[in-house]
Amino acid sequence: MSFTETMKEKTWSPWAAGFLLGVTAIASYVLVDKTIGSSGGLESIDSMLLKTFHSNLANSMYFKFQMPPVLSFQIILFIGMLLGALVSSLWSHDFKVRLMPDQLWTQNYGPSKLKRWALIFIGGMIIEYAAGIAGGCTSGLAISGTMQLSPAGLLFIVGLFVSGIITTKLLYGRDY
């Protein structure tokens, strides 16, 4: 199989994808002296929006000094991830706009798109808040943290898998 055909595959070997992610993390560190992580990019976007809409929260110590409203490496990385996912899905002919993609969800929780989107939004807020408390997001702690053998990164990855297993059992009630 040629390189072009391999790139167009809808699924990749986890070994190949993991290897390329590792190369990306190392390249980011070597070329721009930054570790990969996207939650900070979202917080920087939040900071920009707060400043744009003249919110009092924009003047807080956190958004003034910790996450100032500037175009950061993390924002560029975040935009690059979105564009990369779009290009990848278009290239492999797998792009679809889906409002309710999961049959299993519908069977267990009903067809309400509003309920699904509300829970996704609430879950995203919880994850973003937790990432701030933990000192980084999944990519920041799990990938960059373990790459540097950070105890926080190693503990986070264990917690990530344990909480994922527990959440799956709570939501679906059986093994998947």
Side-chain angles (χ1 to χ4, degrees):
M1 185 178 291
S2 74
F3 176 75
T4 305
E5 290 170 339
T6 302
M7 293 296 290
K8 289 183 179 182
E9 287 291 312
K10 290 184 183 186
T11 59
W12 283 17
S13 155
W15 298 104
F19 174 77
L20 290 173
L21 180 58
V23 168
T24 301
I26 292 167
S28 174
Y29 194 71
V30 169
L31 297 174
V32 292
D33 198 27
K34 302 280 186 189
T35 56
I36 60 174
S38 61
S39 64
L42 291 171
E43 291 171 355
S44 293
I45 292 169
D46 291 344
S47 182
M48 289 177 178
L49 291 171
L50 291 170
K51 185 175 180 184
T52 300
F53 292 107
H54 307 290
S55 170
N56 289 335
L57 195 54
N59 295 321
S60 70
M61 296 291 278
Y62 184 75
F63 285 116
K64 267 187 133 170
F65 300 106
Q66 185 68 26
M67 285 295 166
V70 296
L71 182 64
S72 65
F73 171 76
Q74 290 175 320
I75 292 175
I76 295 167
L77 177 69
F78 183 71
I79 292 168
M81 288 188 305
L82 292 176
L83 291 175
L86 175 65
V87 168
S88 174
S89 67
L90 291 171
W91 201 8
S92 67
H93 304 291
D94 198 32
F95 179 81
K96 293 178 191 152
V97 175
R98 300 175 226 180
L99 297 177
M100 188 65 106
D102 192 340
Q103 265 185 312
L104 192 55
W105 173 274
T106 305
Q107 289 170 357
N108 286 303
Y109 300 102
S112 171
K113 291 180 179 118
L114 179 62
K115 180 180 180 182
R116 183 175 175 96
W117 282 88
L119 289 173
I120 289 169
F121 180 78
I122 291 166
M125 295 294 291
I126 292 169
I127 288 170
E128 187 64 26
Y129 183 71
I133 292 170
C137 60
T138 312
S139 53
L141 273 174
I143 297 166
S144 298
T146 55
M147 181 177 87
Q148 298 172 36
L149 299 177
S150 159
L154 297 169
L155 284 172
F156 179 78
I157 200 81
V158 170
L160 181 73
F161 279 100
V162 169
S163 64
I165 291 166
I166 291 169
T167 301
T168 301
K169 290 213 174 263
L170 287 173
L171 285 176
Y172 297 112
R174 51 189 180 271
D175 297 327
Y176 282 98

